[in-house]
Amino acid sequence: TTAAALEHFPVNFTITNLPYTSDLENPDSAKFRATRRVMNTLLDRLLKESSIGPVFQGCETTGFRY
């Protein structure tokens, strides 16, 4: 058997209970880093338990926008 190639794809969604602030524009800000950490943890947990779980390799939050 051959290993499947990893495929990267974007996913966009709206978080309705997180007010946007300018701190979320700066990847070096404490708020950006904390929010990214929480989002990655929650998305990883959700997707690992989904139908793609057996092949899911992880996710990365790249940015937030208004």
Side-chain angles (χ1 to χ4, degrees), residues 4-65:
L6 291 179
E7 186 171 334
H8 295 237
F9 58 92
V11 176
N12 298 300
F13 56 91
T14 301
I15 304 168
T16 59
N17 64 345
L18 177 65
Y20 185 83
T21 64
S22 61
D23 291 348
L24 292 173
E25 291 177 21
N26 179 2
D28 296 321
S29 76
K31 185 167 186 174
F32 182 99
R33 290 192 312 268
T35 305
R36 176 179 55 200
R37 185 171 42 254
V38 169
M39 291 306 302
N40 289 350
T41 299
L42 293 174
L43 288 170
D44 279 349
R45 188 178 305 155
L46 176 70
L47 294 171
K48 284 178 183 174
E49 296 175 8
S50 75
S51 62
I52 67 167
V55 295
F56 178 68
Q57 295 292 311
C59 66
E60 179 183 346
T61 301
T62 57
F64 300 100
R65 64 185 176 139

